[in-house]
Amino acid sequence: MVEDEKWVRTALRKVIGKLDLPLFIVHEASNGLEASDWLKSNEASLVLTDIRMPVMDGLALLKDIKSNGYPTDVILVSGHDDFAYAQQALREGVIDYLLKPVEAEELTRCISAWIKRKEQSAPKGSSAADIIPEEMSAVEQVLYYLETKRLYDITSAEAAKFVHLNPSYFSKLFKQTTGMTFTDYVTSVRMKEAARLLEHTSLRITEIGERLGFMDTAYFSNTFKKILGHTPSDYRKRFVKEPK
């Protein structure tokens, strides 16, 4: 999600979080250049971006994505009801064009149509469910899916739906199998990924927290310390060697 106004990103994040659709936000950027830099070493199936932003606007980002051949579709959002923007965006290959304020119903329609097109064009047998070994138990399937897809904000109810189980039964089964609640397990996975990012990237602690779904840096730091025994900053100082 690319938007220079933080309050708009917050509002859109809440709207997207309430949609009953199989998607989640993997990264947020405040302008097109930040998004472009992130896409050089990361992947996103869909980019939802504002048009008018400083440094690099949405149309420039769209051109950058197309010229680099990233496997990413783009939906443009604008507060300006300007048909010239829509024409140019459509010429550049945008899949849809939405006007602010974005309504949940319109966003659902737009993303649902995108998901349907993706499913219809995907090769047979390419879905995540199809590639999971059949001999795996329901809990093992969820663990496998979490590990391969890095779904850091998936809920217990969503996981239960994935393996076609009653949410209450799935929660009990998961704890019996792993010795942890689903929430605690996902939190431990998120902290393991945070440790990896602290060790192998130069991302700021706030960026790492946001990447893993923590919008409150203090809460992220406290959770990290509770599980790994060190604050993120102490962990980086203690376990990451400075290059000579």
Side-chain angles (χ1 to χ4, degrees):
M1 182 165 62
V2 192
E3 165 62 57
D4 61 312
E5 295 185 88
K6 189 173 182 179
W7 72 270
V8 176
R9 291 203 306 274
T10 300
L12 279 172
R13 191 189 318 121
K14 289 180 179 178
V15 171
I16 291 171
K18 293 178 181 178
L19 299 180
D20 186 21
L21 294 172
L23 81 163
F24 63 100
I25 299 170
V26 294
H27 187 69
E28 294 181 22
S30 60
N31 60 63
L33 184 59
E34 285 184 15
S36 176
D37 288 342
W38 186 84
L39 285 167
K40 288 176 183 176
S41 55
N42 300 276
E43 288 188 12
S45 301
L46 179 67
V47 169
L48 181 68
T49 179
D50 190 15
I51 287 186
R52 295 197 180 189
M53 297 178 293
V55 186
M56 178 190 281
D57 64 23
L59 289 174
L61 173 61
L62 174 62
K63 291 178 182 177
D64 183 76
I65 287 171
K66 298 303 179 184
S67 65
N68 282 291
Y70 296 138
T72 303
D73 292 324
V74 179
I75 294 175
L76 282 176
V77 180
S78 176
H80 307 274
D81 191 2
D82 189 332
F83 186 64
Y85 278 122
Q87 283 184 314
Q88 188 174 351
L90 292 169
R91 281 197 299 267
E92 296 293 339
V94 69
I95 66 165
D96 215 331
Y97 180 93
L98 302 175
L99 292 174
K100 294 180 182 176
V102 178
E103 300 292 338
E105 184 178 342
E106 183 65 11
L107 189 59
T108 300
R109 178 206 60 75
C110 176
I111 296 179
S112 294
W114 170 75
I115 290 173
K116 187 174 181 179
R117 285 197 296 270
K118 295 288 283 186
E119 289 176 345
Q120 289 174 342
S121 63
K124 203 170 184 180
S126 65
S127 71
D130 289 334
I131 64 174
I132 294 177
E134 293 181 359
E135 66 272 14
M136 284 186 174
S137 68
V139 171
E140 287 172 337
Q141 287 182 43
V142 169
L143 296 179
Y144 180 88
Y145 194 54
L146 285 172
E147 182 180 344
T148 56
K149 294 297 181 181
R150 296 184 179 182
L151 298 179
Y152 303 122
D153 59 352
I154 188 172
T155 65
S156 179
E158 290 169 336
K161 185 177 181 180
F162 174 70
V163 289
H164 311 291
L165 290 178
N166 174 275
S168 178
Y169 175 73
F170 171 76
S171 295
K172 292 177 182 178
L173 183 64
F174 189 91
K175 189 167 184 179
Q176 287 174 357
T177 305
T178 66
M180 303 172 68
T181 65
F182 183 80
T183 300
D184 287 345
Y185 182 86
V186 172
T187 299
S188 70
V189 171
R190 292 164 90 186
M191 294 305 102
K192 183 179 178 181
E193 176 66 5
R196 186 188 72 81
L197 293 172
L198 286 166
E199 292 178 32
H200 300 291
T201 76
S202 59
L203 289 170
R204 296 193 301 271
I205 290 170
T206 54
E207 292 174 324
I208 291 174
E210 289 176 358
R211 184 176 180 139
L212 296 174
F214 291 89
M215 297 303 114
D216 186 330
T217 304
Y219 180 62
F220 166 60
S221 296
N222 289 337
T223 304
F224 188 92
K225 185 177 181 180
K226 182 179 179 181
I227 293 177
L228 295 175
H230 303 279
T231 63
S233 56
D234 287 343
Y235 183 92
R236 179 168 265 171
K237 291 175 185 176
R238 189 178 289 256
F239 296 102
V240 180
K241 294 181 179 179
E242 292 293 335
K244 294 181 180 180

